[in-house]
Amino acid sequence: MNSPTTADHKIVLITGASSGIGAATARRLAADGHHVVLGARRVDRLEALVAELRAAGGRAEHRELDVTDLDSVRAFVDAAHERHGRIDVLVNNAGVMPLSRIDALRVDDWNLMIDVNLRGTLHGIAAVLPYLRGQGGGHVVNVASVSAYRVDPTAAVYCATKFAVRALSEGLRQESRDIRVTVVSPGYTESELADQGGDPEVRAAVRAASQELAIPASAVADAIGYAIAQPANVDVNELVVRPTAQG
Ligand code: NDP
């Protein structure tokens, strides 16, 4: 572990921290000396990760979180603020990707992606923004995707949610003078994202491509760590991190 100065020690909230990019980001930021507050639905995973981080000398805590529920997101953010008296960074990372063609009409999957990827991100912003404004600064990091920049068959709704995350991030950036806004957009990355949901054939194809190409989740976590580490007057707005071999 590093030995950070007080100025380096930030209170960082991470949604979707129970696996993949969120867990890797927790490891990276705890190693950088930040205090990480981890949220997700699988509390057993969070408990194990907090124990791992503390055993390595890090500062970490967790709370059950469902980003589709505004009350749950508010409770997650409010508890962290009450405990620490400030919130420096929110990493809106929770996401799902049940892919299928539009004409398969898997409307429940569409709604789930809208609820988690888009509405969940907005819930995070709604819960944290009054605190950031009140303390005169802070940082919102939204995890989008290369699917925020391009549309592919079977991914239309997922892309729509990620384009929307990029759009609302840009709007928040334009409306802010003291709050940094960063969009981090991964390509194929090792995680559990393609393990369930959507059309089984599409899922198998995505898993095959991911097994061939995927970069470690730590590569995306490093990009998030880089953006957070910049001085308060330097806002890294967009980072796309994809495998070198991804088309
Ligand atoms: P994982 O499936 O490994 O992680 C997704 C995380 O989101 C889990 O921790 C899960 O926790 C959490 N989550 C899902 N639904 C909810 C919910 N309702 N409330 C709270 N947490 C929730 O996938 P990744 O690490 O890959 O995904 C992280 C982000 O990266 C997502 O936004 C994804 O779209 C994005 N991304 C990933 C890419 C990749 O190739 N891996 C590429 C591009 C973007 P739990 O189930 O415990 O609640």
Side-chain angles (χ1 to χ4, degrees), residues 15-23 39-43 45-46 65-69 92-97 112 116-117 143-147 158 162 184-194 196 210 214 217:
T15 72
S18 57
S19 64
I21 291 166
R41 294 165 305 171
R42 289 173 295 175
V43 175
R45 295 278 201 103
L46 297 178
L65 170 69
D66 181 347
V67 298
T68 68
D69 176 358
N92 273 314
N93 164 75
V96 293
M97 190 182 70
L112 181 64
V116 178
N117 302 355
V143 177
S145 170
V146 292
S147 299
Y158 180 73
K162 295 299 188 175
V184 175
S185 291
Y188 282 117
T189 305
E190 290 168 2
S191 80
E192 299 175 15
L193 194 65
Q196 56 190 353
S210 187

mmCIF file of all heavy atoms in Angstrom, residues 15-23 39-43 45-46 65-69 92-97 112 116-117 143-147 158 162 184-194 196 210 214 217, ligand 1:
data_model
loop_
_atom_site.group_PDB
_atom_site.id
_atom_site.type_symbol
_atom_site.label_atom_id
_atom_site.label_comp_id
_atom_site.label_asym_id
_atom_site.label_seq_id
_atom_site.Cartn_x
_atom_site.Cartn_y
_atom_site.Cartn_z
ATOM 1 N N THR A 15 -20.313 2.055 -7.407
ATOM 2 C CA THR A 15 -21.473 1.169 -7.589
ATOM 3 C C THR A 15 -21.042 -0.034 -8.425
ATOM 4 O O THR A 15 -20.130 0.050 -9.241
ATOM 5 C CB THR A 15 -22.637 1.899 -8.282
ATOM 6 O OG1 THR A 15 -22.326 2.118 -9.667
ATOM 7 C CG2 THR A 15 -22.937 3.246 -7.623
ATOM 8 N N GLY A 16 -21.713 -1.159 -8.200
ATOM 9 C CA GLY A 16 -21.352 -2.369 -8.949
ATOM 10 C C GLY A 16 -19.951 -2.836 -8.623
ATOM 11 O O GLY A 16 -19.183 -3.228 -9.502
ATOM 12 N N ALA A 17 -19.627 -2.827 -7.332
ATOM 13 C CA ALA A 17 -18.254 -3.136 -6.915
ATOM 14 C C ALA A 17 -18.056 -4.610 -6.574
ATOM 15 O O ALA A 17 -16.990 -4.991 -6.108
ATOM 16 C CB ALA A 17 -17.874 -2.268 -5.708
ATOM 17 N N SER A 18 -19.075 -5.449 -6.811
ATOM 18 C CA SER A 18 -18.971 -6.850 -6.386
ATOM 19 C C SER A 18 -18.248 -7.733 -7.385
ATOM 20 O O SER A 18 -17.965 -8.892 -7.080
ATOM 21 C CB SER A 18 -20.378 -7.413 -6.115
ATOM 22 O OG SER A 18 -21.182 -7.280 -7.267
ATOM 23 N N SER A 19 -17.945 -7.231 -8.579
ATOM 24 C CA SER A 19 -17.224 -8.049 -9.572
ATOM 25 C C SER A 19 -16.612 -7.138 -10.633
ATOM 26 O O SER A 19 -16.819 -5.922 -10.631
ATOM 27 C CB SER A 19 -18.161 -9.077 -10.225
ATOM 28 O OG SER A 19 -19.172 -8.432 -10.960
ATOM 29 N N GLY A 20 -15.844 -7.738 -11.527
ATOM 30 C CA GLY A 20 -15.365 -7.068 -12.730
ATOM 31 C C GLY A 20 -14.662 -5.735 -12.499
ATOM 32 O O GLY A 20 -13.801 -5.601 -11.628
ATOM 33 N N ILE A 21 -15.068 -4.755 -13.281
ATOM 34 C CA ILE A 21 -14.406 -3.445 -13.287
ATOM 35 C C ILE A 21 -14.585 -2.726 -11.944
ATOM 36 O O ILE A 21 -13.655 -2.076 -11.448
ATOM 37 C CB ILE A 21 -14.962 -2.596 -14.460
ATOM 38 C CG1 ILE A 21 -14.496 -3.204 -15.790
ATOM 39 C CG2 ILE A 21 -14.519 -1.145 -14.330
ATOM 40 C CD1 ILE A 21 -15.232 -2.680 -17.013
ATOM 41 N N GLY A 22 -15.763 -2.857 -11.341
ATOM 42 C CA GLY A 22 -15.993 -2.192 -10.058
ATOM 43 C C GLY A 22 -15.079 -2.727 -8.970
ATOM 44 O O GLY A 22 -14.486 -1.957 -8.192
ATOM 45 N N ALA A 23 -14.925 -4.056 -8.916
ATOM 46 C CA ALA A 23 -14.033 -4.661 -7.912
ATOM 47 C C ALA A 23 -12.584 -4.268 -8.183
ATOM 48 O O ALA A 23 -11.827 -3.948 -7.254
ATOM 49 C CB ALA A 23 -14.200 -6.174 -7.912
ATOM 50 N N GLY A 39 -20.737 -0.568 -3.219
ATOM 51 C CA GLY A 39 -22.149 -0.915 -3.269
ATOM 52 C C GLY A 39 -22.450 -1.908 -4.364
ATOM 53 O O GLY A 39 -21.835 -1.875 -5.441
ATOM 54 N N ALA A 40 -23.388 -2.815 -4.097
ATOM 55 C CA ALA A 40 -23.906 -3.780 -5.080
ATOM 56 C C ALA A 40 -24.970 -4.585 -4.361
ATOM 57 O O ALA A 40 -25.190 -4.400 -3.155
ATOM 58 C CB ALA A 40 -22.806 -4.688 -5.619
ATOM 59 N N ARG A 41 -25.607 -5.516 -5.094
ATOM 60 C CA ARG A 41 -26.638 -6.348 -4.446
ATOM 61 C C ARG A 41 -26.025 -7.565 -3.755
ATOM 62 O O ARG A 41 -26.525 -8.008 -2.743
ATOM 63 C CB ARG A 41 -27.673 -6.777 -5.490
ATOM 64 C CG ARG A 41 -28.479 -5.606 -6.054
ATOM 65 C CD ARG A 41 -29.195 -6.006 -7.309
ATOM 66 N NE ARG A 41 -28.236 -6.536 -8.281
ATOM 67 C CZ ARG A 41 -28.552 -7.131 -9.405
ATOM 68 N NH1 ARG A 41 -29.820 -7.283 -9.729
ATOM 69 N NH2 ARG A 41 -27.615 -7.578 -10.224
ATOM 70 N N ARG A 42 -24.945 -8.108 -4.303
ATOM 71 C CA ARG A 42 -24.340 -9.329 -3.718
ATOM 72 C C ARG A 42 -23.429 -8.938 -2.545
ATOM 73 O O ARG A 42 -22.221 -8.746 -2.705
ATOM 74 C CB ARG A 42 -23.584 -10.105 -4.792
ATOM 75 C CG ARG A 42 -24.502 -10.777 -5.814
ATOM 76 C CD ARG A 42 -23.737 -11.378 -6.952
ATOM 77 N NE ARG A 42 -23.061 -10.354 -7.736
ATOM 78 C CZ ARG A 42 -22.223 -10.614 -8.747
ATOM 79 N NH1 ARG A 42 -21.945 -11.849 -9.076
ATOM 80 N NH2 ARG A 42 -21.663 -9.629 -9.406
ATOM 81 N N VAL A 43 -24.031 -8.853 -1.382
ATOM 82 C CA VAL A 43 -23.328 -8.358 -0.204
ATOM 83 C C VAL A 43 -22.196 -9.295 0.214
ATOM 84 O O VAL A 43 -21.158 -8.840 0.713
ATOM 85 C CB VAL A 43 -24.335 -8.147 0.946
ATOM 86 C CG1 VAL A 43 -23.628 -7.743 2.221
ATOM 87 C CG2 VAL A 43 -25.350 -7.082 0.553
ATOM 88 N N ARG A 45 -20.169 -10.897 -1.661
ATOM 89 C CA ARG A 45 -18.994 -10.524 -2.466
ATOM 90 C C ARG A 45 -18.336 -9.260 -1.917
ATOM 91 O O ARG A 45 -17.118 -9.150 -1.854
ATOM 92 C CB ARG A 45 -19.400 -10.258 -3.922
ATOM 93 C CG ARG A 45 -19.936 -11.459 -4.668
ATOM 94 C CD ARG A 45 -18.770 -12.307 -5.183
ATOM 95 N NE ARG A 45 -19.226 -13.148 -6.277
ATOM 96 C CZ ARG A 45 -18.979 -12.899 -7.566
ATOM 97 N NH1 ARG A 45 -18.290 -11.840 -7.933
ATOM 98 N NH2 ARG A 45 -19.409 -13.717 -8.488
ATOM 99 N N LEU A 46 -19.174 -8.300 -1.557
ATOM 100 C CA LEU A 46 -18.635 -7.031 -1.036
ATOM 101 C C LEU A 46 -17.897 -7.247 0.275
ATOM 102 O O LEU A 46 -16.826 -6.678 0.503
ATOM 103 C CB LEU A 46 -19.761 -6.011 -0.844
ATOM 104 C CG LEU A 46 -20.519 -5.572 -2.102
ATOM 105 C CD1 LEU A 46 -21.627 -4.600 -1.727
ATOM 106 C CD2 LEU A 46 -19.576 -4.953 -3.127
ATOM 107 N N LEU A 65 -26.746 -2.254 -2.202
ATOM 108 C CA LEU A 65 -27.197 -1.180 -3.092
ATOM 109 C C LEU A 65 -27.890 -1.764 -4.315
ATOM 110 O O LEU A 65 -27.375 -2.684 -4.953
ATOM 111 C CB LEU A 65 -25.973 -0.358 -3.554
ATOM 112 C CG LEU A 65 -26.205 0.651 -4.675
ATOM 113 C CD1 LEU A 65 -27.076 1.810 -4.180
ATOM 114 C CD2 LEU A 65 -24.875 1.181 -5.202
ATOM 115 N N ASP A 66 -29.048 -1.211 -4.634
ATOM 116 C CA ASP A 66 -29.715 -1.511 -5.905
ATOM 117 C C ASP A 66 -29.883 -0.186 -6.628
ATOM 118 O O ASP A 66 -30.699 0.651 -6.225
ATOM 119 C CB ASP A 66 -31.072 -2.188 -5.663
ATOM 120 C CG ASP A 66 -31.778 -2.536 -6.966
ATOM 121 O OD1 ASP A 66 -31.366 -2.052 -8.043
ATOM 122 O OD2 ASP A 66 -32.763 -3.303 -6.906
ATOM 123 N N VAL A 67 -29.137 0.011 -7.703
ATOM 124 C CA VAL A 67 -29.124 1.323 -8.357
ATOM 125 C C VAL A 67 -30.436 1.640 -9.066
ATOM 126 O O VAL A 67 -30.669 2.796 -9.438
ATOM 127 C CB VAL A 67 -27.942 1.483 -9.349
ATOM 128 C CG1 VAL A 67 -26.604 1.372 -8.639
ATOM 129 C CG2 VAL A 67 -28.061 0.505 -10.513
ATOM 130 N N THR A 68 -31.289 0.640 -9.265
ATOM 131 C CA THR A 68 -32.579 0.917 -9.914
ATOM 132 C C THR A 68 -33.558 1.582 -8.954
ATOM 133 O O THR A 68 -34.616 2.036 -9.372
ATOM 134 C CB THR A 68 -33.219 -0.379 -10.464
ATOM 135 O OG1 THR A 68 -33.600 -1.223 -9.376
ATOM 136 C CG2 THR A 68 -32.257 -1.123 -11.374
ATOM 137 N N ASP A 69 -33.206 1.594 -7.673
ATOM 138 C CA ASP A 69 -34.091 2.104 -6.619
ATOM 139 C C ASP A 69 -33.485 3.393 -6.050
ATOM 140 O O ASP A 69 -32.474 3.368 -5.367
ATOM 141 C CB ASP A 69 -34.209 1.011 -5.543
ATOM 142 C CG ASP A 69 -35.033 1.452 -4.338
ATOM 143 O OD1 ASP A 69 -35.486 2.619 -4.293
ATOM 144 O OD2 ASP A 69 -35.199 0.619 -3.424
ATOM 145 N N ASN A 92 -20.003 5.732 -11.022
ATOM 146 C CA ASN A 92 -21.235 5.072 -11.472
ATOM 147 C C ASN A 92 -20.835 3.960 -12.433
ATOM 148 O O ASN A 92 -20.663 4.179 -13.638
ATOM 149 C CB ASN A 92 -22.125 6.088 -12.211
ATOM 150 C CG ASN A 92 -23.018 6.861 -11.296
ATOM 151 O OD1 ASN A 92 -23.661 6.307 -10.408
ATOM 152 N ND2 ASN A 92 -23.075 8.177 -11.516
ATOM 153 N N ASN A 93 -20.682 2.753 -11.889
ATOM 154 C CA ASN A 93 -20.137 1.650 -12.683
ATOM 155 C C ASN A 93 -21.136 0.525 -12.925
ATOM 156 O O ASN A 93 -21.011 -0.197 -13.915
ATOM 157 C CB ASN A 93 -18.897 1.115 -11.956
ATOM 158 C CG ASN A 93 -18.477 -0.239 -12.462
ATOM 159 O OD1 ASN A 93 -17.902 -0.347 -13.548
ATOM 160 N ND2 ASN A 93 -18.780 -1.291 -11.700
ATOM 161 N N ALA A 94 -22.123 0.358 -12.060
ATOM 162 C CA ALA A 94 -23.051 -0.773 -12.176
ATOM 163 C C ALA A 94 -23.655 -0.825 -13.576
ATOM 164 O O ALA A 94 -24.058 0.202 -14.122
ATOM 165 C CB ALA A 94 -24.159 -0.663 -11.130
ATOM 166 N N GLY A 95 -23.708 -2.024 -14.157
ATOM 167 C CA GLY A 95 -24.265 -2.138 -15.496
ATOM 168 C C GLY A 95 -24.638 -3.574 -15.831
ATOM 169 O O GLY A 95 -24.153 -4.514 -15.207
ATOM 170 N N VAL A 96 -25.538 -3.709 -16.789
ATOM 171 C CA VAL A 96 -25.932 -5.030 -17.296
ATOM 172 C C VAL A 96 -25.973 -4.970 -18.818
ATOM 173 O O VAL A 96 -26.106 -3.898 -19.409
ATOM 174 C CB VAL A 96 -27.315 -5.459 -16.757
ATOM 175 C CG1 VAL A 96 -27.260 -5.707 -15.255
ATOM 176 C CG2 VAL A 96 -28.380 -4.434 -17.094
ATOM 177 N N MET A 97 -25.848 -6.163 -19.457
ATOM 178 C CA MET A 97 -25.770 -6.182 -20.918
ATOM 179 C C MET A 97 -26.443 -7.439 -21.499
ATOM 180 O O MET A 97 -25.798 -8.260 -22.134
ATOM 181 C CB MET A 97 -24.294 -6.127 -21.349
ATOM 182 C CG MET A 97 -24.083 -5.896 -22.828
ATOM 183 S SD MET A 97 -22.325 -5.900 -23.300
ATOM 184 C CE MET A 97 -21.884 -7.621 -23.107
ATOM 185 N N LEU A 112 -34.536 -3.515 -18.239
ATOM 186 C CA LEU A 112 -33.484 -3.728 -17.242
ATOM 187 C C LEU A 112 -32.253 -2.870 -17.570
ATOM 188 O O LEU A 112 -31.658 -2.243 -16.688
ATOM 189 C CB LEU A 112 -33.097 -5.219 -17.195
ATOM 190 C CG LEU A 112 -32.021 -5.565 -16.174
ATOM 191 C CD1 LEU A 112 -32.494 -5.293 -14.751
ATOM 192 C CD2 LEU A 112 -31.599 -7.035 -16.322
ATOM 193 N N VAL A 116 -30.880 -0.059 -15.044
ATOM 194 C CA VAL A 116 -29.570 -0.160 -14.383
ATOM 195 C C VAL A 116 -28.576 0.826 -15.015
ATOM 196 O O VAL A 116 -27.965 1.646 -14.306
ATOM 197 C CB VAL A 116 -29.004 -1.601 -14.467
ATOM 198 C CG1 VAL A 116 -27.610 -1.657 -13.822
ATOM 199 C CG2 VAL A 116 -29.949 -2.590 -13.785
ATOM 200 N N ASN A 117 -28.421 0.769 -16.327
ATOM 201 C CA ASN A 117 -27.333 1.531 -16.963
ATOM 202 C C ASN A 117 -27.619 3.036 -17.006
ATOM 203 O O ASN A 117 -26.717 3.850 -16.773
ATOM 204 C CB ASN A 117 -27.111 1.039 -18.397
ATOM 205 C CG ASN A 117 -26.774 -0.444 -18.469
ATOM 206 O OD1 ASN A 117 -26.606 -1.105 -17.443
ATOM 207 N ND2 ASN A 117 -26.681 -0.979 -19.671
ATOM 208 N N VAL A 143 -19.043 5.062 -15.944
ATOM 209 C CA VAL A 143 -18.493 4.009 -16.805
ATOM 210 C C VAL A 143 -19.488 3.774 -17.939
ATOM 211 O O VAL A 143 -20.610 3.315 -17.704
ATOM 212 C CB VAL A 143 -18.227 2.717 -16.011
ATOM 213 C CG1 VAL A 143 -17.714 1.626 -16.951
ATOM 214 C CG2 VAL A 143 -17.217 2.989 -14.897
ATOM 215 N N ALA A 144 -19.104 4.135 -19.150
ATOM 216 C CA ALA A 144 -19.957 3.920 -20.332
ATOM 217 C C ALA A 144 -19.431 2.690 -21.058
ATOM 218 O O ALA A 144 -19.359 1.597 -20.478
ATOM 219 C CB ALA A 144 -19.965 5.160 -21.204
ATOM 220 N N SER A 145 -18.985 2.847 -22.307
ATOM 221 C CA SER A 145 -18.556 1.686 -23.107
ATOM 222 C C SER A 145 -18.112 2.198 -24.467
ATOM 223 O O SER A 145 -18.482 3.307 -24.868
ATOM 224 C CB SER A 145 -19.738 0.728 -23.279
ATOM 225 O OG SER A 145 -19.454 -0.280 -24.212
ATOM 226 N N VAL A 146 -17.382 1.355 -25.216
ATOM 227 C CA VAL A 146 -17.203 1.673 -26.638
ATOM 228 C C VAL A 146 -18.572 1.738 -27.317
ATOM 229 O O VAL A 146 -18.736 2.395 -28.347
ATOM 230 C CB VAL A 146 -16.286 0.657 -27.363
ATOM 231 C CG1 VAL A 146 -14.856 0.755 -26.877
ATOM 232 C CG2 VAL A 146 -16.798 -0.778 -27.221
ATOM 233 N N SER A 147 -19.570 1.091 -26.706
ATOM 234 C CA SER A 147 -20.950 1.148 -27.220
ATOM 235 C C SER A 147 -21.602 2.500 -26.974
ATOM 236 O O SER A 147 -22.767 2.698 -27.323
ATOM 237 C CB SER A 147 -21.794 0.045 -26.573
ATOM 238 O OG SER A 147 -21.263 -1.212 -26.891
ATOM 239 N N TYR A 158 -28.564 -1.571 -25.539
ATOM 240 C CA TYR A 158 -27.387 -1.356 -24.682
ATOM 241 C C TYR A 158 -26.651 -0.091 -25.138
ATOM 242 O O TYR A 158 -26.295 0.770 -24.315
ATOM 243 C CB TYR A 158 -26.462 -2.580 -24.760
ATOM 244 C CG TYR A 158 -25.211 -2.478 -23.914
ATOM 245 C CD1 TYR A 158 -25.264 -2.591 -22.536
ATOM 246 C CD2 TYR A 158 -23.961 -2.277 -24.508
ATOM 247 C CE1 TYR A 158 -24.113 -2.509 -21.752
ATOM 248 C CE2 TYR A 158 -22.808 -2.192 -23.747
ATOM 249 C CZ TYR A 158 -22.890 -2.310 -22.368
ATOM 250 O OH TYR A 158 -21.748 -2.217 -21.601
ATOM 251 N N LYS A 162 -25.827 3.543 -23.239
ATOM 252 C CA LYS A 162 -24.462 4.056 -23.053
ATOM 253 C C LYS A 162 -24.250 5.389 -23.791
ATOM 254 O O LYS A 162 -23.545 6.270 -23.286
ATOM 255 C CB LYS A 162 -23.443 3.003 -23.505
ATOM 256 C CG LYS A 162 -23.454 1.726 -22.633
ATOM 257 C CD LYS A 162 -23.116 2.036 -21.175
ATOM 258 C CE LYS A 162 -22.923 0.788 -20.330
ATOM 259 N NZ LYS A 162 -22.484 1.064 -18.963
ATOM 260 N N VAL A 184 -15.550 6.999 -18.629
ATOM 261 C CA VAL A 184 -14.559 5.964 -18.960
ATOM 262 C C VAL A 184 -15.283 4.874 -19.746
ATOM 263 O O VAL A 184 -16.285 4.310 -19.267
ATOM 264 C CB VAL A 184 -13.910 5.384 -17.684
ATOM 265 C CG1 VAL A 184 -12.978 4.229 -18.045
ATOM 266 C CG2 VAL A 184 -13.127 6.476 -16.960
ATOM 267 N N SER A 185 -14.794 4.595 -20.942
ATOM 268 C CA SER A 185 -15.499 3.695 -21.859
ATOM 269 C C SER A 185 -14.635 2.497 -22.219
ATOM 270 O O SER A 185 -13.720 2.599 -23.042
ATOM 271 C CB SER A 185 -15.892 4.469 -23.125
ATOM 272 O OG SER A 185 -16.897 5.399 -22.813
ATOM 273 N N PRO A 186 -14.922 1.348 -21.606
ATOM 274 C CA PRO A 186 -14.128 0.151 -21.907
ATOM 275 C C PRO A 186 -14.586 -0.540 -23.182
ATOM 276 O O PRO A 186 -15.751 -0.476 -23.564
ATOM 277 C CB PRO A 186 -14.407 -0.768 -20.705
ATOM 278 C CG PRO A 186 -15.220 0.031 -19.734
ATOM 279 C CD PRO A 186 -15.860 1.130 -20.507
ATOM 280 N N GLY A 187 -13.621 -1.227 -23.814
ATOM 281 C CA GLY A 187 -13.946 -2.267 -24.794
ATOM 282 C C GLY A 187 -14.014 -3.594 -24.053
ATOM 283 O O GLY A 187 -14.223 -3.634 -22.834
ATOM 284 N N TYR A 188 -13.788 -4.698 -24.797
ATOM 285 C CA TYR A 188 -13.873 -6.026 -24.162
ATOM 286 C C TYR A 188 -12.954 -6.098 -22.941
ATOM 287 O O TYR A 188 -11.742 -5.913 -23.052
ATOM 288 C CB TYR A 188 -13.461 -7.118 -25.141
ATOM 289 C CG TYR A 188 -14.516 -7.470 -26.155
ATOM 290 C CD1 TYR A 188 -14.294 -7.262 -27.518
ATOM 291 C CD2 TYR A 188 -15.717 -8.043 -25.757
ATOM 292 C CE1 TYR A 188 -15.257 -7.601 -28.465
ATOM 293 C CE2 TYR A 188 -16.691 -8.385 -26.698
ATOM 294 C CZ TYR A 188 -16.447 -8.161 -28.042
ATOM 295 O OH TYR A 188 -17.402 -8.492 -28.977
ATOM 296 N N THR A 189 -13.548 -6.396 -21.796
ATOM 297 C CA THR A 189 -12.824 -6.409 -20.522
ATOM 298 C C THR A 189 -13.251 -7.641 -19.732
ATOM 299 O O THR A 189 -14.442 -7.994 -19.712
ATOM 300 C CB THR A 189 -13.163 -5.135 -19.714
ATOM 301 O OG1 THR A 189 -12.879 -3.991 -20.524
ATOM 302 C CG2 THR A 189 -12.348 -5.058 -18.435
ATOM 303 N N GLU A 190 -12.295 -8.281 -19.079
ATOM 304 C CA GLU A 190 -12.620 -9.473 -18.279
ATOM 305 C C GLU A 190 -13.564 -9.095 -17.141
ATOM 306 O O GLU A 190 -13.255 -8.208 -16.336
ATOM 307 C CB GLU A 190 -11.332 -10.071 -17.695
ATOM 308 C CG GLU A 190 -10.436 -10.702 -18.747
ATOM 309 C CD GLU A 190 -9.053 -11.033 -18.217
ATOM 310 O OE1 GLU A 190 -8.782 -10.817 -17.022
ATOM 311 O OE2 GLU A 190 -8.225 -11.490 -19.028
ATOM 312 N N SER A 191 -14.715 -9.758 -17.100
ATOM 313 C CA SER A 191 -15.708 -9.499 -16.057
ATOM 314 C C SER A 191 -16.797 -10.545 -16.168
ATOM 315 O O SER A 191 -16.674 -11.499 -16.930
ATOM 316 C CB SER A 191 -16.291 -8.088 -16.204
ATOM 317 O OG SER A 191 -17.278 -8.072 -17.225
ATOM 318 N N GLU A 192 -17.893 -10.323 -15.444
ATOM 319 C CA GLU A 192 -19.029 -11.259 -15.480
ATOM 320 C C GLU A 192 -20.161 -10.724 -16.356
ATOM 321 O O GLU A 192 -21.274 -11.244 -16.323
ATOM 322 C CB GLU A 192 -19.518 -11.518 -14.052
ATOM 323 C CG GLU A 192 -18.446 -12.139 -13.182
ATOM 324 C CD GLU A 192 -18.867 -12.291 -11.723
ATOM 325 O OE1 GLU A 192 -20.071 -12.179 -11.417
ATOM 326 O OE2 GLU A 192 -17.977 -12.514 -10.892
ATOM 327 N N LEU A 193 -19.886 -9.662 -17.116
ATOM 328 C CA LEU A 193 -20.946 -8.941 -17.831
ATOM 329 C C LEU A 193 -21.720 -9.826 -18.800
ATOM 330 O O LEU A 193 -22.929 -9.676 -18.938
ATOM 331 C CB LEU A 193 -20.343 -7.743 -18.576
ATOM 332 C CG LEU A 193 -21.328 -6.704 -19.088
ATOM 333 C CD1 LEU A 193 -22.041 -6.002 -17.936
ATOM 334 C CD2 LEU A 193 -20.634 -5.683 -19.985
ATOM 335 N N ALA A 194 -21.015 -10.737 -19.485
ATOM 336 C CA ALA A 194 -21.671 -11.573 -20.502
ATOM 337 C C ALA A 194 -22.038 -12.947 -19.953
ATOM 338 O O ALA A 194 -22.280 -13.882 -20.715
ATOM 339 C CB ALA A 194 -20.759 -11.707 -21.715
ATOM 340 N N GLN A 196 -24.722 -13.727 -18.118
ATOM 341 C CA GLN A 196 -26.150 -14.047 -18.050
ATOM 342 C C GLN A 196 -26.986 -13.003 -18.777
ATOM 343 O O GLN A 196 -26.543 -11.885 -19.009
ATOM 344 C CB GLN A 196 -26.612 -14.155 -16.597
ATOM 345 C CG GLN A 196 -26.331 -12.933 -15.766
ATOM 346 C CD GLN A 196 -26.592 -13.213 -14.293
ATOM 347 O OE1 GLN A 196 -27.104 -14.272 -13.925
ATOM 348 N NE2 GLN A 196 -26.270 -12.256 -13.444
ATOM 349 N N SER A 210 -14.816 -12.126 -26.166
ATOM 350 C CA SER A 210 -14.187 -11.607 -24.954
ATOM 351 C C SER A 210 -13.025 -12.498 -24.517
ATOM 352 O O SER A 210 -11.964 -12.008 -24.125
ATOM 353 C CB SER A 210 -15.248 -11.508 -23.849
ATOM 354 O OG SER A 210 -14.720 -10.874 -22.719
ATOM 355 N N ALA A 214 -10.188 -9.938 -24.461
ATOM 356 C CA ALA A 214 -10.412 -9.047 -23.312
ATOM 357 C C ALA A 214 -9.136 -8.647 -22.580
ATOM 358 O O ALA A 214 -8.223 -9.447 -22.377
ATOM 359 C CB ALA A 214 -11.380 -9.707 -22.332
ATOM 360 N N ALA A 217 -9.623 -6.267 -16.062
ATOM 361 C CA ALA A 217 -10.414 -5.173 -15.495
ATOM 362 C C ALA A 217 -9.514 -4.109 -14.860
ATOM 363 O O ALA A 217 -9.881 -2.932 -14.787
ATOM 364 C CB ALA A 217 -11.407 -5.728 -14.471
HETATM 365 P P1 NDP B 1 -19.826 -7.303 -14.125
HETATM 366 O O1 NDP B 1 -21.077 -8.062 -14.491
HETATM 367 O O2 NDP B 1 -18.654 -8.089 -13.670
HETATM 368 O O3 NDP B 1 -20.172 -6.196 -13.024
HETATM 369 C C1 NDP B 1 -21.397 -5.494 -13.046
HETATM 370 C C2 NDP B 1 -21.632 -4.927 -11.663
HETATM 371 O O4 NDP B 1 -22.873 -4.222 -11.667
HETATM 372 C C3 NDP B 1 -21.721 -6.005 -10.589
HETATM 373 O O5 NDP B 1 -20.978 -5.620 -9.475
HETATM 374 C C4 NDP B 1 -23.209 -6.045 -10.236
HETATM 375 O O6 NDP B 1 -23.367 -6.336 -8.851
HETATM 376 C C5 NDP B 1 -23.597 -4.593 -10.510
HETATM 377 N N1 NDP B 1 -25.032 -4.430 -10.695
HETATM 378 C C6 NDP B 1 -25.843 -4.950 -11.637
HETATM 379 N N2 NDP B 1 -27.110 -4.575 -11.420
HETATM 380 C C7 NDP B 1 -27.094 -3.796 -10.305
HETATM 381 C C8 NDP B 1 -28.101 -3.114 -9.570
HETATM 382 N N3 NDP B 1 -29.396 -3.155 -9.923
HETATM 383 N N4 NDP B 1 -27.728 -2.408 -8.477
HETATM 384 C C9 NDP B 1 -26.428 -2.363 -8.094
HETATM 385 N N5 NDP B 1 -25.444 -2.988 -8.755
HETATM 386 C C10 NDP B 1 -25.781 -3.694 -9.851
HETATM 387 O O7 NDP B 1 -19.492 -6.454 -15.414
HETATM 388 P P2 NDP B 1 -18.406 -5.283 -15.687
HETATM 389 O O8 NDP B 1 -17.462 -5.154 -14.589
HETATM 390 O O9 NDP B 1 -17.909 -5.512 -17.045
HETATM 391 O O10 NDP B 1 -19.378 -4.013 -15.751
HETATM 392 C C11 NDP B 1 -19.056 -2.763 -15.173
HETATM 393 C C12 NDP B 1 -19.427 -1.652 -16.145
HETATM 394 O O11 NDP B 1 -18.565 -1.726 -17.273
HETATM 395 C C13 NDP B 1 -20.858 -1.742 -16.695
HETATM 396 O O12 NDP B 1 -21.430 -0.444 -16.694
HETATM 397 C C14 NDP B 1 -20.649 -2.228 -18.109
HETATM 398 O O13 NDP B 1 -21.685 -1.819 -18.981
HETATM 399 C C15 NDP B 1 -19.317 -1.568 -18.448
HETATM 400 N N6 NDP B 1 -18.616 -2.149 -19.587
HETATM 401 C C16 NDP B 1 -18.032 -3.396 -19.504
HETATM 402 C C17 NDP B 1 -17.388 -3.936 -20.604
HETATM 403 C C18 NDP B 1 -16.782 -5.315 -20.575
HETATM 404 O O14 NDP B 1 -16.351 -5.816 -21.621
HETATM 405 N N7 NDP B 1 -16.689 -5.962 -19.430
HETATM 406 C C19 NDP B 1 -17.258 -3.193 -21.855
HETATM 407 C C20 NDP B 1 -17.888 -1.900 -21.820
HETATM 408 C C21 NDP B 1 -18.523 -1.410 -20.731
HETATM 409 P P3 NDP B 1 -24.560 -7.179 -8.191
HETATM 410 O O15 NDP B 1 -25.012 -8.184 -9.208
HETATM 411 O O16 NDP B 1 -23.894 -7.797 -6.991
HETATM 412 O O17 NDP B 1 -25.590 -6.162 -7.816
#
